């Protein structure tokens, strides 16, 4: 399987701390990859490098075959059109209604007329069970509903790649599993490449086709969540013993 995003010998440091130390990895196309690791290890930095919001100190990053580390301005913006991003807080605009938030990408980045936009927005709202909330403002919604609106907005331009940065922060366990179920079925429907940064171990592994554990500047890659428990590496056993406990059932989403 080809890697839609590829790091080649990437180094990124902040002062004396190397958050990525000569990293070479590939994120598989059309699958869900989960980046896990302790706080401050560089998980969100990895997403920023993929988006070109940060430059590596050395090495190269490829997105859909294009080497982005030397790109600037318009070239980078063109590459970013392939991405949808769901930020930690959803990043909805408080002054806009649900309808207006979801319509925003179409109004800013397409030439669709008002009726075409209305049809597309209402279709997306229906898909995410948001029709009855179209005239509400973000402050009037629950945390789970705000995540639904943010995902609906991110998918309006049918991106090839979706990036999720701690997408369930602030949600209770029930809402968290509802959002993961939504992510799972949405990815199956649209077939985009999904990369999820999360500290929500082990629940997030229900989504994972591949797990990338970031620790001390290096990634350990597992081809399935089941491989994690089979690892005999002492550091891996210690990390997952602390975060997952002794009992872990890997697949809970049908």
């Amino acid at each position: 399987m080809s890697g839609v995003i590829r790091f080649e010998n990437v180094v990124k440091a902040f002062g004396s701390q190397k958050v990525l130390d000569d990293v070479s990895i590939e994120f598989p196309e059309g699958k869900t990859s989960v980046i896990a690791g302790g706080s401050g290890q560089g998980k969100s930095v990895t997403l920023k490098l993929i988006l070109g919001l940060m430059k590596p100190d050395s090495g190269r990053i490829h997105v859909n075959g294009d080497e982005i580390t030397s790109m600037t301005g318009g070239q980078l913006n063109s590459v970013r059109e392939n991405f949808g991003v769901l930020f930690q807080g959803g990043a909805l605009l408080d002054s806009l209604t649900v309808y207006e938030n979801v319509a925003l990408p179409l109004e800013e980045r397409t030439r669709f007329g008002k009726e075409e936009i209305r049809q597309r927005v209402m279709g997306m709202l229906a898909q995410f069970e948001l029709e009855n909330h179209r005239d509400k403002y973000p402050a009037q919604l629950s945390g789970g509903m705000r995540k639904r609106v943010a995902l609906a907005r991110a998918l309006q331009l049918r991106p090839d790649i979706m990036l999720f940065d701690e997408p369930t922060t602030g949600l209770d366990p029930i809402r968290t599993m509802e959002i993961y179920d939504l992510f799972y079925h949405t990815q199956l429907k649209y077939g985009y490449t999904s990369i999820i940064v999360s500290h929500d171990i082990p629940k997030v592994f229900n989504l994972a086709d591949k797990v990338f554990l970031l620790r001390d500047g290096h990634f350990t890659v597992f081809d399935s969540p089941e491989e994690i428990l089979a690892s005999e590496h002492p550091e891996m056993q210690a990390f997952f013993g602390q975060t997952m406990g002794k009992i872990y059932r890997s697949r809970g989403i049908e």
Side-chain angles (χ1 to χ4, degrees):
M1 181 169 295
S2 62
V4 66
I5 297 171
R6 190 170 79 253
F7 283 40
E8 292 182 359
N9 306 111
V10 170
V11 174
K12 185 63 182 177
F14 298 96
S16 60
Q17 181 191 9
K18 279 189 177 179
V19 293
L20 297 180
D21 186 4
D22 196 30
V23 165
S24 295
I25 53 173
E26 291 189 1
F27 296 96
E29 184 175 5
K31 299 294 183 180
T32 295
S33 299
V34 169
I35 301 176
S39 178
Q41 291 290 328
K43 303 186 299 297
S44 294
V45 168
T46 302
L47 293 190
K48 291 176 182 177
L49 289 167
I50 291 170
L51 284 167
L53 298 175
M54 285 184 177
K55 297 286 188 182
D57 300 327
S58 61
R60 294 180 293 182
I61 299 170
H62 299 261
V63 176
N64 287 329
D66 295 321
E67 199 271 304
I68 68 167
T69 42
S70 60
M71 290 183 179
T72 58
Q75 289 178 310
L76 266 178
N77 287 335
S78 179
V79 170
R80 288 173 185 148
E81 290 180 358
N82 297 307
F83 288 94
V85 183
L86 189 60
F87 297 101
Q88 197 171 116
L92 299 177
L93 297 178
D94 292 337
S95 61
L96 300 183
T97 65
V98 167
Y99 179 96
E100 291 167 339
N101 266 285
V102 176
L104 193 62
L106 298 175
E107 292 173 344
E108 289 193 338
R109 294 170 58 184
T110 74
R111 296 183 179 180
F112 295 147
K114 181 176 282 190
E115 179 59 23
E116 175 74 8
I117 290 174
R118 189 194 69 79
Q119 290 180 7
R120 287 174 178 260
V121 172
M122 293 308 296
M124 194 65 76
L125 293 180
Q127 179 181 329
F128 290 99
E129 300 178 354
L130 293 166
E131 311 103 298
N132 295 333
H133 303 279
R134 59 169 290 178
D135 295 322
K136 292 181 179 178
Y137 291 89
Q140 297 173 294
L141 303 174
S142 67
M145 281 293 182
R146 287 196 293 272
K147 302 289 185 184
R148 285 176 176 269
V149 176
L151 182 58
R153 184 182 63 182
L155 290 173
Q156 274 290 17
L157 299 179
R158 304 291 174 89
D160 298 325
I161 305 164
M162 279 292 301
L163 305 181
F164 300 87
D165 190 6
E166 301 285 8
T168 58
T169 296
L171 299 182
D172 62 45
I174 293 175
R175 296 293 174 264
T176 293
M177 292 311 296
E178 287 177 356
I179 291 299
Y180 284 158
D181 187 71
L182 178 65
F183 288 176
Y184 176 79
H185 287 99
T186 303
Q187 196 276 335
L188 283 182
K189 178 175 180 177
Y190 289 99
Y192 52 72
T193 299
S194 176
I195 301 177
I196 304 174
V197 162
S198 181
H199 66 279
D200 192 21
I201 299 169
K203 291 191 291 291
V204 70
F205 292 155
N206 287 310
L207 298 172
D209 295 300
K210 209 162 192 173
V211 176
F212 293 75
L213 174 64
L214 180 56
R215 184 181 175 92
D216 298 328
H218 299 278
F219 281 99
T220 303
V221 182
F222 299 91
D223 287 329
S224 72
E226 287 76 15
E227 281 192 7
I228 296 167
L229 291 183
S231 174
E232 297 181 357
H233 194 290
E235 287 190 3
M236 297 301 105
Q237 290 180 341
F239 176 79
F240 287 109
Q242 292 168 359
T243 56
M244 295 169 58
K246 294 182 179 180
I247 300 175
Y248 165 56
R249 189 170 183 176
S250 66
R251 300 289 175 176
I253 295 175
E254 297 298 333

